[in-house]
Amino acid sequence: MTAPVDLTNPIFTDPEKARKHFEAIRWPNGPYCPYCGSFDRIAALGGHSMGPGWYHCKDCRRKFTAAVGTIYERSHIPMTKWLLATHLMCASKKGVSAHQLHRMIGLPYKTTWFMAHRIREGMRDLNPSPGSMGGEGKIVEADETYIGGKEKNKHRSKRDKNNIGGMGKEIAFALVERGGRVRTQQVPEVSAKTLRPILVSQLDARTRLMTDDAGQYRHIHRDFQHEAVNHGIGEYVRGEAHTNTVESYFAILKRGITGTYHHVSQQHLKRYLAEFDFRYNERATLEVTDVERAVKAVKCVIGKRVTYQGTNRSYSKMAD
């Protein structure tokens, strides 16, 4: 059983302790200049006019805080609130909505909506290493799912008149290594032309690949040791061949989107996928506690920024 998040921790209420906590995460070996990278000629700035947490680099002669170059840069939101929101999102298996964050941390809904998207952006792996999943003796399952509202709940003009399940919905394609990590991405269509390049670039060539019997995987045996189960005849497990792991992951994703967020736009789906991937990759069965997961999420914000213009000005369109 993992240790729960201690919401009485002073880092969630004391600005000075929150600042020092973040500095210890970003600068475990002491402060360095985010502009020129200097370690040796850094001096802390004092005085009431600057406030705590400011430093000066004697090499490039620039002032900075630990927030420079992160999603917290130039934010007027206290670090205590950032840390609390991050811990709540990391400790909630199916996510926590911006409305819930608004109620729990005492900030306006528009603010918590934007905070949540910044935190999700921090969780995104922007440059996954090619061939970093799978390997000799390892099994990876691949599958896709459709994300969107039920046809019966849509306006008549928006319904799928041809009863094609994916029409009007977004598609998420996931690779899950058994006992390991998941990597999910938004794709425009389900076809061999779209999915094969993803499989070839992300998986080690020695990987054993498990899929269902869909047509897009028909020729993937040319690239991997491929086994498929025929769902059409009621076959779901044949020896080690099955897609139960990736389908279990999709179940968590769908319950989170349906029960917590209710609606996810095409523009922001990639960030929600990154959030669920991050929690799965840092899960309790891999011996990662809620506190350790939150610390890793805070580390991920370094080198990333999401501006107001870069996210979305239309807050009213979001339903979570």
Side-chain angles (χ1 to χ4, degrees):
M1 185 174 181
T2 60
V5 174
D6 180 10
L7 297 182
T8 64
N9 192 317
I11 65 171
F12 302 136
T13 55
D14 187 321
E16 185 64 11
K17 285 184 170 58
R19 177 183 68 81
K20 290 181 177 179
H21 176 74
F22 177 59
E23 287 186 358
I25 292 174
R26 181 167 192 186
W27 295 328
N29 300 314
Y32 64 87
C33 177
Y35 298 110
C36 70
S38 174
F39 273 95
D40 302 326
R41 292 166 57 80
I42 305 298
L45 293 176
H48 293 291
S49 60
M50 293 297 295
W54 281 92
Y55 297 84
H56 179 259
C57 176
K58 295 181 180 178
D59 285 338
C60 68
R61 299 180 179 277
R62 300 185 74 171
K63 294 178 287 188
F64 61 90
T65 69
V68 170
T70 74
I71 64 172
Y72 310 138
E73 184 174 352
R74 301 184 68 180
S75 172
H76 297 288
I77 301 166
M79 183 58 69
T80 53
K81 302 293 187 181
W82 277 114
L83 294 177
L84 180 56
T86 301
H87 276 68
L88 290 172
M89 290 177 67
C90 287
S92 304
K93 187 172 183 178
K94 299 181 181 70
V96 55
S97 71
H99 274 300
Q100 186 66 26
L101 286 176
H102 149 67
R103 290 188 290 267
M104 295 184 73
I105 68 177
L107 291 176
Y109 165 67
K110 291 182 179 180
T111 302
T112 55
W113 182 87
F114 189 40
M115 287 175 70
H117 274 308
R118 282 188 170 187
I119 294 167
R120 291 183 189 109
E121 186 68 16
M123 294 174 175
R124 286 182 69 198
D125 185 0
L126 300 179
N127 298 295
S129 302
S132 58
M133 293 191 71
E136 188 172 2
K138 295 185 178 180
I139 297 175
V140 171
E141 299 176 21
D143 201 4
E144 65 284 332
T145 191
Y146 295 96
I147 297 175
K150 296 180 180 178
E151 294 300 317
K152 66 179 182 179
N153 294 335
K154 296 180 182 179
H155 188 275
R156 183 177 299 175
S157 63
K158 302 291 185 181
R159 290 178 187 169
D160 176 2
K161 298 179 177 61
N162 296 317
N163 198 31
I164 301 174
M167 186 175 292
K169 298 186 179 185
E170 298 304 316
I171 307 169
F173 177 63
L175 301 172
V176 180
E177 184 178 305
R178 290 185 189 169
R181 300 172 62 83
V182 63
R183 189 172 294 162
T184 313
Q185 66 184 83
Q186 193 173 354
V187 294
E189 62 179 2
V190 176
S191 67
K193 182 180 178 180
T194 301
L195 302 186
R196 182 178 175 273
I198 298 173
L199 291 165
V200 171
S201 65
Q202 300 300 325
L203 299 183
D204 186 293
R206 297 165 295 177
T207 302
R208 292 179 62 194
L209 179 64
M210 306 295 176
T211 71
D212 57 25
D213 61 329
Q216 60 268 21
Y217 305 116
R218 187 172 301 138
H219 302 297
I220 203 65
H221 63 274
R222 299 172 183 173
D223 303 291
F224 304 98
Q225 302 174 55
H226 177 224
E227 296 182 57
V229 287
N230 190 343
H231 289 173
I233 62 172
E235 180 186 53
Y236 293 94
V237 179
R238 187 183 66 255
E240 290 188 306
H242 64 78
T243 57
N244 294 345
T245 313
V246 65
E247 288 170 5
S248 295
Y249 172 74
F250 282 148
I252 296 171
L253 173 66
K254 289 285 192 74
R255 287 188 180 99
I257 290 177
T258 302
T260 302
Y261 300 120
H262 307 310
H263 166 74
V264 174
S265 70
Q266 178 186 31
Q267 179 182 1
H268 298 298
L269 176 60
K270 60 182 180 291
R271 295 192 176 110
Y272 288 96
L273 296 179
E275 176 190 358
F276 281 88
D277 279 4
F278 179 83
R279 278 195 299 266
Y280 185 89
N281 293 337
E282 306 295 341
R283 61 193 183 277
T285 53
L286 297 181
E287 299 184 352
V288 180
T289 67
D290 289 344
V291 173
E292 291 170 337
R293 189 180 309 114
V295 169
K296 290 184 178 184
V298 172
K299 285 182 180 178
C300 289
V301 308
I302 299 169
K304 298 177 182 176
R305 282 197 69 195
V306 183
T307 62
Y308 178 85
Q309 291 83 0
T311 306
N312 189 358
R313 291 182 181 273
S314 302
Y315 289 110
S316 60
K317 294 182 180 180
M318 299 304 296
D320 75 347

